Amino acid sequence: MPKLTKRTVDGAPITGGREYVFWDDVLPRFGLRVRSSGTKTYVVQYRAKGRTRHVTLGRHGVLTPDKARRAALQLLAEVEKGGDPSRERAAARCASTVAELCDRYLEEHARARKKPRSVKEDGRIIEQFVLRALGPRKIAEVERADIYRLRNRLRETPYQANRILALLSKMFNLAERWGLRKDGTNPVRHVERFVERNRERFLSEEELARLGSALHDLGGSGRVSAAAIAAIRLLVFTGCRVSEILTLRWEHVDLERRSLRLADSKSGPKVVPLNAPAMRILTDLDRDAGPWVIRGRKPGCPLVNLAKPWQRICEEAKLESVRVHDLRHSFASVAAGSGQTLLVIGALLGHSQAATTHRYAHLSDNPVRSASEAIGERIAVAMRGQCAAIVRVGQPRTK
């Protein structure tokens, strides 16, 4: 057949018995399929890996002969480079969705590498945000614009938005590793995170005094359970995380060596030294009442939540905008203010990275202030022309 043009395509006869293909005599392997129903479609035929394959480009009317020819040229160029467009299209139709990626991420990555609490949080984010926004989409089809749309819908909760972006970035990195998406195409890459303001709330000495008074009054009157009072006191005096105290078992308590030996924490196994106040709290508790240090109302079970007791304690102590976790920050701030080094503070809190402890650097100003005073004195003496009087700080002047 001559070159496929609008005239030759429109004039292609329709047979009642079977379909046939008219092949273009200018561009080999480019043709027009004519069905007995009258439908005419543009097709390309090629061989890849020893097999003949057919690709349908589109229907006549939707595509003009010229557009179909350009599409055929592009497809045949891919074949010349070693591609197999027919197979790639079939794979795309069967490609995994984001929902399937989420399932695989939780099963093969999160549950194998993360702590149960982190897995639960990942599942919550996936259920509430990722599946609703991207669940049915093919993994390879998700673009940066899709990620930006999700990000912008969450601008009112920047901390939450950043956690979602971090999780998506990890999942799409794994998708590349698992061959579900081309390398270097993570759609979360270059998507800006929201600016987060680190919340630094430390209790002052006056607030600590009010907290101590509230714990005494509420515990004595029974308005807050003894277990909750003990948990708060341990948080104040150890700087532990809430989860570490609420899941603390007596087998982790080593009173002889004055320490808590936690087999598992956010940063892995760690030893928490016990000071005298913390020791008194633990020795006052009934060790024979069960395996848990902080017991719940149900026999044999730990206390699982401090939200309501803490709210009542804050109301009694007139503490505003203080979270239970801020007791850990307050422990660190007192340590920094008393001149402890960041290395020591990090060890006390069980930080695995120095950068985590560095947030308290500005509070550890006693050594810096002393150095500033010494430098200032030396400069002032020199400017008064009393160079001979410059002495080391802390040494008496000689007459």
Side-chain angles (χ1 to χ4, degrees), residues 222-244:
R223 285 180 288 165
V224 174
S225 70
I229 295 293
I232 296 299
R233 288 187 182 278
L234 284 174
L235 290 171
V236 170
F237 288 111
T238 64
C240 284
R241 299 178 179 89
V242 176
S243 61
E244 293 169 348

Side-chain angles (χ1 to χ4, degrees), residues 33-67:
R33 177 184 288 119
V34 182
R35 299 186 183 276
S36 58
S37 63
T39 303
K40 299 177 180 179
T41 55
Y42 297 100
V43 296
V44 171
Q45 177 179 293
Y46 66 93
R47 288 185 66 80
K49 297 181 180 179
R51 297 184 61 181
T52 300
R53 301 191 185 276
H54 297 83
V55 176
T56 300
L57 300 175
R59 294 179 61 177
H60 176 59
V62 177
L63 285 180
T64 64
D66 288 339
K67 289 183 178 179

Side-chain angles (χ1 to χ4, degrees), residues 1-12:
M1 184 178 178
K3 179 179 179 180
L4 289 177
T5 63
K6 187 176 185 308
R7 175 180 293 181
T8 57
V9 170
D10 288 340

Side-chain angles (χ1 to χ4, degrees), residues 132-382:
R132 293 181 182 180
L134 303 169
R137 298 286 300 278
K138 302 290 187 183
I139 296 171
E141 294 177 355
V142 178
E143 299 177 347
R144 189 173 298 154
D146 301 313
I147 305 300
Y148 263 112
R149 278 192 290 271
L150 174 58
R151 169 193 181 274
N152 293 337
R153 286 202 298 270
L154 299 168
R155 62 169 59 90
E156 298 300 324
T157 54
Y159 181 86
Q160 179 78 275
N162 289 348
R163 303 291 81 73
I164 294 169
L165 290 176
L167 178 59
L168 281 170
S169 181
K170 181 61 181 180
M171 286 199 296
F172 279 109
N173 279 338
L174 289 172
E176 293 182 18
R177 187 183 303 172
W178 292 333
L180 303 175
R181 192 178 171 102
K182 292 182 179 179
D183 290 347
T185 63
N186 189 331
V188 189
R189 188 182 181 191
H190 300 310
V191 175
E192 297 90 347
R193 305 311 198 253
F194 288 106
V195 176
E196 294 182 21
R197 295 181 179 178
N198 288 331
R199 182 175 176 179
E200 295 183 349
R201 179 67 166 92
F202 312 114
L203 295 183
S204 65
E205 290 188 10
E206 181 184 352
E207 288 175 324
L208 285 171
R210 295 205 305 268
L211 173 61
S213 177
L215 292 173
H216 179 272
D217 294 343
L218 292 173
S221 64
R223 285 180 288 165
V224 174
S225 70
I229 295 293
I232 296 299
R233 288 187 182 278
L234 284 174
L235 290 171
V236 170
F237 288 111
T238 64
C240 284
R241 299 178 179 89
V242 176
S243 61
E244 293 169 348
I245 294 300
L246 293 185
T247 60
L248 185 64
R249 302 172 70 97
W250 282 113
E251 63 192 70
H252 303 147
V253 180
D254 188 344
L255 293 179
E256 183 179 349
R257 293 179 176 81
R258 300 171 63 90
S259 61
L260 302 179
R261 299 183 176 277
L262 306 181
D264 193 20
S265 70
K266 185 177 180 180
S267 55
K270 75 174 184 178
V271 176
V272 180
L274 294 173
N275 48 42
M279 286 287 292
R280 285 194 294 271
I281 296 167
L282 289 168
T283 53
D284 287 343
L285 294 174
D286 185 1
R287 191 162 189 161
D288 298 325
W292 304 101
V293 175
I294 305 300
R295 293 182 290 119
R297 292 184 178 181
K298 187 176 179 180
C301 296
L303 184 65
V304 296
N305 199 307
L306 287 172
K308 290 184 178 180
W310 180 245
Q311 182 180 358
R312 190 168 297 172
I313 291 167
C314 286
E315 291 173 355
E316 181 74 14
K318 296 181 173 55
L319 300 176
E320 297 182 1
S321 303
V322 180
R323 305 165 300 170
V324 180
H325 189 71
D326 292 329
L327 298 177
R328 178 172 166 85
H329 294 324
S330 298
F331 180 90
S333 71
V334 172
S338 63
Q340 301 298 328
T341 66
L342 295 181
L343 181 63
V344 170
I345 295 172
L348 288 169
L349 296 180
H351 288 163
S352 59
Q353 297 181 355
T356 309
T357 315
H358 200 265
R359 71 170 70 180
Y360 305 111
H362 68 287
L363 299 172
S364 184
D365 64 349
N366 281 4
V368 176
R369 189 176 300 279
S370 298
S372 177
E373 291 290 348
I375 294 169
E377 181 180 346
R378 292 173 67 92
I379 293 174
V381 170

